[in-house]
Amino acid sequence: MKKIIIAIDGYSSCGKSTMAKDLAKTIGYVYVDTGAMYRAVTLYALQNGMFKEDKVSGQSLINEPELKNAIHQGKIRITFKVNQTTGAPDTYLNGQLVESEIRQMEVSSRVSPIAALPFVRELLTEQQKAMGREKGIVMDGRDIGTAVFPEAELKIFVTASAKVRAQRRYDELLGKAKTREEAEVLNFDDILKNVEERDYIDTHRETAPLRQAEDALVLDNSNLTKEEQKEWLIKRYEESAR
Ligand code: DC
């Protein structure tokens, strides 16, 4: 089998990361979660007071010049290190483990506007291209098959209905809640709204919007079991790497 690049794109919360991680582990490839990189930039902006709440719209506004400066001064360093327990890479921001922080609602609700900024995309796309030089990589995101690796040997576009995705996200957050209070604040409608908002921003932004590459294979997993999905993926991998 030759070493290839596997690009997995699709909507948020459709199980891309779990699927990509599992595939990489099975075939001995490196896994890169590019969403985690956009989330880490968002966390940096939050930690450094770069968001301001707009009192009229209630929206979070980002101080773009400040973030741009931080990026140009090399103040945001994102790295991955394999977690010996899970076998999957954890995300580090400037040497600090941030895997759990970047999954919080505080970050999730602000990441799409950050991912729409051309100077953020430029920086991260460059780093992602460098990670794929040796091939043998499974990378998941929104623009991997279109902008990062348009030459990838295998491109998969994953989709599922917004309701199915919101339910999965709700279940995941519920599973992670450590206290009753944490579980009680979870609201399905808020999560569904967040999923739909992110879909809108991700597909309508000017730079590298989420769209299916012409040569991508579509995987709608609304009604697939994990096993069926894995079987489908392994088959596609074997066909492409042969
Ligand atoms: O996959 P995720 O939910 O962790 O992604 C977080 C955000 O980052 C989401 O709003 C889409 C954006 N993103 C992107 O624009 N391009 C990528 N390659 C990966 C994620």
Side-chain angles (χ1 to χ4, degrees):
M1 293 268 195
K2 61 177 192 240
K3 268 194 185 180
I4 62 168
I5 291 179
I6 304 178
I8 303 190
D9 290 304
Y11 291 96
S12 64
S13 303
C14 60
K16 280 190 316 293
S17 302
T18 314
M19 165 203 308
K21 222 180 279 175
D22 186 44
L23 174 67
K25 206 170 171 182
T26 309
I27 64 178
Y29 272 29
V30 170
Y31 164 66
V32 179
D33 172 1
T34 62
M37 298 172 80
Y38 289 95
R39 285 169 180 272
V41 172
T42 309
L43 181 65
Y44 179 91
L46 264 170
Q47 287 175 340
N48 289 276
M50 293 181 187
F51 284 102
K52 207 173 64 198
E53 303 307 316
D54 181 72
K55 290 198 182 82
V56 183
S57 65
Q59 279 191 327
S60 253
L61 302 175
I62 174 76
N63 185 331
E64 283 187 40
E66 240 184 279
L67 181 60
K68 201 174 200 172
N69 255 338
I71 285 182
H72 288 161
Q73 288 171 10
K75 286 187 176 166
I76 309 182
R77 201 166 41 84
I78 302 161
T79 46
F80 293 102
K81 208 158 69 188
V82 174
N83 178 315
Q84 295 307 327
T85 314
T86 62
D90 279 341
T91 314
Y92 287 74
L93 171 61
N94 296 328
Q96 294 282 320
L97 176 67
V98 292
E99 193 53 41
S100 141
E101 284 92 329
I102 60 169
R103 312 286 166 194
Q104 305 293 323
M105 262 312 241
E106 229 195 345
V107 171
S108 299
S109 60
R110 292 174 175 86
V111 61
S112 278
I114 293 280
L117 297 171
F119 58 88
V120 172
R121 300 207 72 83
E122 211 173 286
L123 169 85
L124 298 188
T125 303
E126 201 182 296
Q127 294 181 356
Q128 290 153 10
K129 283 184 192 233
M131 290 173 186
R133 252 177 230 135
E134 309 282 314
K135 299 209 176 191
I137 192 166
V138 179
M139 191 174 275
D140 88 55
R142 303 294 189 286
D143 60 340
I144 313 305
T146 52
V148 181
F149 297 125
E151 74 290 3
E153 290 85 352
L154 177 59
K155 298 180 188 176
I156 294 164
F157 190 83
V158 197
T159 169
S161 75
K163 274 207 174 128
V164 166
R165 289 183 284 129
Q167 187 63 50
R168 287 179 187 159
R169 184 101 193 96
Y170 178 84
D171 294 343
E172 186 191 334
L173 290 170
L174 197 63
K176 279 188 190 158
K178 291 190 191 85
T179 61
R180 213 165 122 187
E181 287 74 34
E182 272 181 31
E184 277 170 5
V185 294
L186 292 174
N187 178 300
F188 177 80
D189 291 335
D190 287 349
I191 294 174
L192 178 61
K193 197 166 148 239
N194 177 250
V195 164
E196 287 172 342
E197 273 171 9
R198 280 205 282 164
D199 284 358
Y200 186 85
I201 302 179
D202 291 347
T203 50
H204 287 78
R205 66 172 175 238
E206 260 177 47
T207 316
L210 168 64
R211 66 177 173 80
Q212 187 190 323
E214 268 173 29
D215 50 350
L217 306 171
V218 178
L219 171 64
D220 182 337
N221 67 12
S222 303
N223 300 306
L224 284 187
T225 63
K226 284 221 169 86
E227 291 69 31
E228 287 168 336
Q229 179 168 278
K230 186 163 183 181
E231 198 181 313
W232 185 90
L233 271 174
I234 297 283
K235 267 200 195 128
R236 302 292 87 78
Y237 156 70
E238 286 171 353
E239 284 162 9
S240 306
R242 199 172 287 141

